[in-house]
Amino acid sequence: MARLAVGLAAALVWTIFSVAPGRAAEIRAYGDFRVHGNFFQNQNFTGWNGTGAQTEDPVVFFQRLRLHFDLPASDALSFRLGLRLNNEIWGQGPLAADSSVPDIEPYQAYLQFAVPDTDLRLTVGYQPLSMPHTPVFYDSVVLSTDSGNSDTAAVVLSGPLAADILSGTLGYGRLVDANGPFDPSTTQTGDEFDLFFATLDLTLPGVTISPFGMAGVLGRGAALGGMGDTLLSAGTFLAGGGFAHNQNPAVWTGAAVIVDALAPFKMYADVAFGDVAFTDRAINRRSGWFVDAALEYGGWSWVTPQVFGWWGSGEDASLTNGSERLPSIDSSWGPICSFLFDGDQELHDTNMDVTPQGSMGLSFGLNQISLIPDLTSLAGVTVAAGTSSPAGLRKAVAATGGPGAYVQMGNDLAQGETLLSAYFNHSYAITQALDLVLETGWARGYGFHKSIWGRRMVDKAGDVFQGGLGFIYHF
């Protein structure tokens, strides 16, 4: 079915532009296909799901497709259509035998054009959107696009402000509109989550500085889904709780800094602050900080040593004054290929998905190891510890329905809880277009609090082992 859907999409694109000769300079199709098997033992440290209600299947097979069509009418006007088969499991849903479930879905659709008589460019539609971040930590801890896998309906104006020195973006996005054009009654409901943002890129000799700012309006009736766990305080979920105001402000600011003046050493740093619902009741407020830094040495051709560190503000012992962890909309942050975090792994479900907010830690890696022709490897270790009060997380668990509902053992760390992990990943270029990828990881947790997660969960915790092997075809 996937092949048929892709063929139909390609035929549609071809038909559109063949009936309007001269309108399109070219039609470019490109993307990638990934298929792999994954072994996970003691996923989530217990072998259960986050709530402790389901048992893992240790061997699962995944495949995904990303197919992009770029449809330019000229250098100044183009349209992108992105289609995907999104990390489906063999034998399930669209990949079950004789399945009739639709499997190809659009995930990008946006228009991009140059503003006449200016150097500005306007991008309108469902598009990748991420706040500035340093590349060694993969993506933004506040709003990420996860290599284009997470997109936003937005309008973005971008362009240079001073040639070769300063550029910027200005934009608006509608992240959520729960009810669409009509609210369910004759009383208007705040069911949207709107976001306004601006970024700058300042390039000076030896240093690049990229500040950003975002201001949002969060409606009381906006259906946030899983976004609510990283955006809202635990107090918001209490029975009889929720926002008092129909519309609630949210603000973020931060910057990414890259210093290469000391070559072959290169330094990276990020800082972010966010504050959500600060005009509402104190129990609904979420406000916090996050900082990270990294140093790498690029003087060797066969390996790049890197060291990383980070710190995020944690919860205090009370729910009544809200949350002290950084609020985020969509976070895909992590030291390069750390097994603990959802970062730049090439295969799906090959990390522990630890929450960076409310944690601190160090990581050391050897990146771009190239001792054998066509084989590139990465090795490293990571240690992470919690910055949140055990009492605060214990109350959050009680307020939200138990472990795994809002916070999860091994993902959200309290003071006294520590994670240690190691990883060893490889990519072998079979051809210029085909890679064989192996990703492996190990992790162990220390000091999990029974007072937070319960005796049953803590007593079940053990070492985690993971291995993923598969192919990636780029076209």
Side-chain angles (χ1 to χ4, degrees):
M1 180 178 289
R3 185 163 49 191
L4 175 60
V6 172
L8 290 173
L12 175 63
V13 172
W14 176 261
T15 300
I16 291 173
F17 282 87
S18 64
V19 298
R23 296 295 300 275
E26 62 176 335
I27 300 175
R28 183 184 174 211
Y30 60 97
D32 66 76
F33 174 77
R34 307 184 185 202
V35 58
H36 75 279
N38 197 36
F39 168 80
F40 235 127
Q41 179 178 309
N42 277 341
Q43 193 166 8
N44 300 318
F45 295 100
T46 60
W48 300 329
N49 69 340
T51 62
Q54 296 177 304
T55 299
E56 69 183 351
D57 191 343
V59 179
V60 181
F61 297 89
F62 296 92
Q63 71 179 58
R64 57 162 265 188
L65 170 72
R66 299 290 187 270
L67 179 60
H68 303 101
F69 293 101
D70 279 349
L71 289 71
S74 67
D75 292 339
L77 174 61
S78 65
F79 174 78
R80 171 171 289 185
L81 173 65
L83 304 175
R84 71 180 180 186
L85 175 72
N86 194 30
N87 297 313
E88 299 290 351
I89 298 173
W90 282 12
Q92 187 179 87
L95 300 186
D98 298 324
S99 171
S100 59
V101 178
D103 50 0
I104 298 292
E105 61 181 4
Y107 79 107
Q108 289 179 354
Y110 59 90
L111 181 69
Q112 190 172 74
F113 61 92
V115 179
D117 302 319
T118 73
D119 293 326
L120 301 177
R121 187 167 292 270
L122 197 64
T123 306
V124 185
Y126 198 57
Q127 59 187 285
L129 181 62
S130 180
M131 288 300 102
H133 58 277
T134 55
V136 293
F137 290 101
Y138 181 56
D139 210 331
S140 170
V141 73
V142 171
L143 175 60
S144 71
T145 188
D146 190 15
S147 298
N149 293 312
S150 185
D151 297 85
T152 302
V155 52
V156 181
L157 182 67
S158 60
L161 302 176
D164 301 322
I165 297 177
L166 185 64
S167 62
T169 66
L170 187 66
Y172 159 79
R174 170 149 288 182
L175 281 62
V176 175
D177 186 351
N179 297 324
F182 289 98
D183 289 336
S185 71
T186 55
T187 300
Q188 190 171 34
T189 302
D191 62 317
E192 297 89 7
F193 181 19
D194 291 334
L195 189 68
F196 303 85
F197 56 90
T199 72
L200 292 173
D201 284 301
L202 175 63
T203 303
L204 301 173
V207 62
T208 301
I209 304 173
S210 303
F212 69 88
M214 300 192 299
V217 181
L218 177 58
R220 178 169 54 192
L224 298 176
M227 191 192 311
D229 292 346
T230 60
L231 192 64
L232 305 178
S233 71
T236 309
F237 298 90
L238 285 170
F243 293 123
H245 298 157
N246 194 40
Q247 305 286 359
N248 295 276
V251 295
W252 289 266
T253 187
V257 180
I258 301 176
V259 179
D260 56 9
L262 303 176
F265 290 97
K266 198 170 186 178
M267 294 180 289
Y268 306 85
D270 299 274
V271 60
F273 169 78
D275 199 348
V276 172
F278 51 87
T279 63
D280 205 86
R281 294 181 296 177
I283 197 171
N284 295 325
R285 184 178 185 179
R286 180 160 176 168
S287 176
W289 289 85
F290 191 88
V291 295
D292 62 44
L295 175 67
E296 72 177 21
Y297 177 74
W300 297 327
S301 61
W302 60 276
V303 67
T304 302
Q306 298 171 317
V307 61
F308 311 84
W310 74 92
W311 173 87
S313 58
E315 306 285 2
D316 66 14
S318 173
L319 292 188
T320 58
N321 61 354
S323 169
E324 291 73 35
R325 291 190 294 172
L326 174 75
S328 65
I329 298 169
D330 190 347
S331 177
S332 295
W333 176 96
I336 288 181
C337 273
S338 170
F339 177 56
L340 292 183
F341 299 98
D342 181 15
D344 65 339
Q345 295 87 4
E346 295 190 275
L347 305 180
H348 178 64
D349 196 28
T350 57
N351 68 84
M352 294 297 294
D353 200 22
V354 172
T355 304
Q357 296 90 338
S359 76
M360 62 181 179
L362 294 171
S363 184
F364 174 76
L366 298 176
N367 195 10
Q368 297 296 318
I369 303 172
S370 54
L371 300 175
I372 300 174
D374 300 320
L375 177 66
T376 302
S377 302
L378 170 66
V381 295
T382 303
V383 60
T387 61
S388 290
S389 162
L393 290 191
R394 182 170 62 251
K395 293 173 183 177
V397 168
T400 57
Y406 175 76
V407 290
Q408 178 180 320
M409 189 183 82
N411 283 35
D412 301 273
L413 301 177
Q415 295 167 356
E417 297 182 335
T418 304
L419 305 180
L420 178 64
S421 75
Y423 52 94
F424 197 23
N425 300 344
H426 310 272
S427 179
Y428 178 72
I430 300 173
T431 70
Q432 288 186 339
L434 181 63
D435 296 329
L436 175 65
V437 175
L438 172 65
E439 295 184 341
T440 65
W442 165 86
R444 175 180 291 178
Y446 299 88
F448 292 137
H449 294 292
K450 293 180 181 179
S451 63
I452 302 174
W453 315 113
R455 180 179 297 275
R456 174 175 174 266
M457 297 284 282
V458 174
D459 287 347
K460 188 68 167 60
D463 285 15
V464 179
F465 297 93
Q466 179 274 328
L469 179 66
F471 298 95
I472 302 178
Y473 169 52
H474 304 276
F475 55 88

